[in-house]
Amino acid sequence: MTLTRFVTSLFFFALAAMPASAQSPFETVITVNDAAITQYEIDQRARLLVLLRAPGNLQEVARDGLIEDRLRISEARRAGVNPTPEEVEAGMAEFAGRANLSAEQFIAAIAQSGVDVETFRDFVSAGLSWRTFVQGRFGPRSQVSDAEVDRALSQNSLSRGGVRVLLSELIVPAQGPDAERNQALIQRLSDTLRTEAAFAAAARRYSASGSRGRGGRLEWLPIGQVPPALRAAVLVLEPGEVTDPITLGPGVGIFQLRALEETEAETPDTLALEYVSILIPGGQSEAARARALDLQDNYDTCDDLYKPAQSLPAENFERVVLPAAEVPGDVALELAKLDDNEVSTAVTRQDGAVMVYLMLCGRTIEVPEPDAPELDENGEPVPAADPREQLRRQLFSQRLASYADSFLEELRADAIITTRQ
């Protein structure tokens, strides 16, 4: 299906996703420090997200995205980063190229669903500003040493024959009134924790995860089930070492590698995850836990959960299939611990006010195929890329993203954000 036909088919759905509003769409509804966001911008971003098949409540996703874009642009400009019109045009062409379209074709296609070209331009411009800023600020800190590449190559080799890891976790909220203090705390713990005993003691004292009573200790996990960002961080560790802080949805965490063990069975990578999420008001209150226990006792599979979903608001039930790299970090970590049709209630939203009842429906795993050489235009084999440099770039990108996510959470915690009711 072409993007044009896809946009057309989603047009009325996109309209339905936009709530009616009595106020002017150009009135300011959110301010981020001194920057204004209008309802028109939120509606436009939500329409664009419909076309990009973004999951979740698209009005909320749009609001959060625009808030973060204001923070990104402000910080980038403070550092002297401001993409030129030519750079933005090139970025728009690159983005459109992912759908095998020119920028003009892409703009014409999204216009059919009422998405203005300026919405697309602003979306690309914010991403370019942030990418340039992040590379300049965190690039030097994200460099990967030869020793780390050697270690990752060794463990990657093990993973093809089978490997599992034994981790401990320490996770604290990255949002809310204590966000800034927690960010400083988690960085200090990452820099200072050196033994299993010290990590376990810190987890019991500070961690907000369900494993805190066990000193943060997790059970053995096949390396292929570990979320991609965490896997990249773990691959460069030796037993006893601790990761840098890793952003996990509304939380931020550090992880200690306690042990690594080779196994006979292969551990293929998880390519995608299918899961159900049900939002239960009350967070970790007794009433919420009782409701979760009732669901767990009476509904054994993801398909079964459609029955109680009939009595829930539409936004409180979701069944999705996402590439592993696109699953929110805290959700991905919980799903890594589950088998099919098992449940986790450890994740919360809205500063702990809502419990997320998670059930894993299934994993799509990588099926190894015989390696076939890539051929050039003349049918000749293309020389294979240097695996060391490939891995170095992958680790660098994931480390850079981790720094960027943590810094953005700091910016959000320090910002003055007001919302018009």
Side-chain angles (χ1 to χ4, degrees):
M1 178 184 292
T2 66
L3 180 63
T4 300
R5 290 178 61 196
F6 173 63
V7 169
T8 302
S9 68
L10 286 177
F11 176 60
F12 291 106
F13 174 70
L15 288 177
M18 305 300 108
S21 175
Q23 67 184 21
S24 167
F26 297 102
E27 288 185 18
T28 297
V29 293
I30 302 174
T31 58
V32 184
N33 296 325
D34 295 324
I37 299 173
T38 67
Q39 185 61 48
Y40 178 78
E41 291 177 285
I42 295 171
D43 291 346
Q44 281 281 298
R45 176 63 66 88
R47 289 178 189 268
L48 180 60
L49 292 171
V50 169
L51 305 179
L52 299 178
R53 293 185 171 181
N57 183 318
L58 297 189
Q59 281 279 312
E60 291 184 6
V61 175
R63 291 164 73 93
D64 286 343
L66 286 166
I67 289 171
E68 292 179 352
D69 278 357
R70 294 296 191 271
L71 296 172
R72 292 183 181 109
I73 292 170
S74 175
E75 194 65 21
R77 287 179 178 171
R78 198 189 332 271
V81 175
N82 195 10
T84 65
E86 294 76 17
E87 289 171 331
V88 175
E89 293 293 332
M92 294 167 69
E94 177 189 356
F95 191 95
R98 300 174 192 173
N100 296 317
L101 297 173
S102 67
E104 293 75 15
Q105 290 170 324
F106 187 88
I107 290 167
I110 64 176
Q112 294 182 39
S113 192
V115 178
D116 190 80
V117 62
E118 289 304 318
T119 297
F120 179 39
R121 181 175 285 110
D122 292 345
F123 178 77
V124 170
S125 180
L128 284 174
S129 298
W130 185 244
R131 182 170 65 186
T132 303
F133 167 76
V134 164
Q135 288 173 342
R137 174 157 183 152
F138 300 111
R141 294 171 58 185
S142 302
Q143 297 300 320
V144 180
S145 69
D146 288 340
E148 290 174 319
V149 174
D150 289 340
R151 196 177 307 150
L153 280 171
S154 173
Q155 295 190 14
N156 269 341
S157 177
L158 279 175
S159 68
R160 287 193 293 271
V163 68
R164 59 180 187 165
V165 291
L166 198 57
L167 302 173
S168 293
E169 64 179 1
L170 194 164
I171 301 171
V172 296
Q175 298 175 3
D178 296 326
E180 185 174 359
R181 181 176 63 83
N182 286 342
Q183 290 280 356
L185 169 67
I186 207 73
Q187 185 64 62
R188 176 173 61 81
L189 293 174
S190 172
D191 293 338
T192 58
L193 295 178
R194 293 292 180 266
T195 67
E196 287 188 27
F199 193 100
R204 290 190 183 95
R205 181 176 180 183
Y206 299 114
S207 184
S209 68
S211 62
R212 64 178 298 170
R214 305 188 301 275
R217 294 183 178 89
L218 305 180
E219 300 296 329
W220 286 101
L221 290 174
I223 193 67
Q225 291 181 202
V226 175
L230 176 55
R231 189 188 316 164
V234 168
L235 284 174
V236 298
L237 299 181
E238 292 183 348
E241 291 185 336
V242 176
T243 67
D244 290 327
I246 297 173
T247 299
L248 301 164
V252 59
I254 55 175
F255 297 82
Q256 183 180 56
L257 177 64
R258 302 194 335 258
L260 180 147
E261 180 179 274
E262 190 172 358
T263 64
E264 293 182 4
E266 291 189 5
T267 55
D269 287 348
T270 297
L271 301 181
L273 292 161
E274 180 179 7
Y275 62 94
V276 165
S277 61
I278 296 177
L279 303 184
I280 301 177
Q284 296 296 335
S285 66
E286 283 191 24
R289 288 199 298 270
R291 174 58 177 151
L293 184 60
D294 179 66
L295 290 172
Q296 194 168 358
D297 287 344
N298 290 287
Y299 306 99
D300 297 329
T301 70
C302 291
D303 290 342
D304 294 341
L305 289 172
Y306 282 108
K307 183 175 181 179
Q310 295 174 5
S311 61
L312 297 173
E315 64 271 18
N316 283 14
F317 177 90
E318 188 173 40
R319 181 170 182 169
V320 296
V321 181
L322 289 176
E326 296 180 16
V327 178
D330 54 345
V331 172
L333 181 60
E334 289 305 309
L335 294 177
K337 306 170 188 176
L338 304 179
D339 293 326
D340 289 1
N341 298 314
E342 287 188 339
V343 169
S344 167
T345 58
V347 174
T348 61
R349 290 290 182 264
Q350 299 181 22
D351 294 333
V354 174
M355 174 192 291
V356 183
Y357 182 91
L358 287 173
M359 178 180 282
L360 176 65
C361 308
R363 293 183 175 87
T364 301
I365 61 172
E366 183 178 34
V367 179
E369 296 181 356
D371 292 333
E374 182 181 354
L375 303 180
D376 63 19
E377 58 187 13
N378 298 317
E380 297 295 328
V382 176
D386 181 355
R388 289 183 60 84
E389 290 311 307
Q390 279 187 320
L391 185 57
R392 190 190 300 274
R393 287 194 296 270
Q394 177 187 1
L395 294 173
F396 171 83
S397 296
Q398 290 169 334
R399 185 173 292 177
L400 188 67
S402 178
Y403 281 129
D405 289 345
S406 295
F407 186 65
L408 182 60
E409 290 296 338
E410 291 180 26
L411 292 178
R412 185 159 186 158
D414 292 340
I416 300 174
I417 301 172
T418 58
T419 301
R420 188 174 190 175
Q421 300 297 329

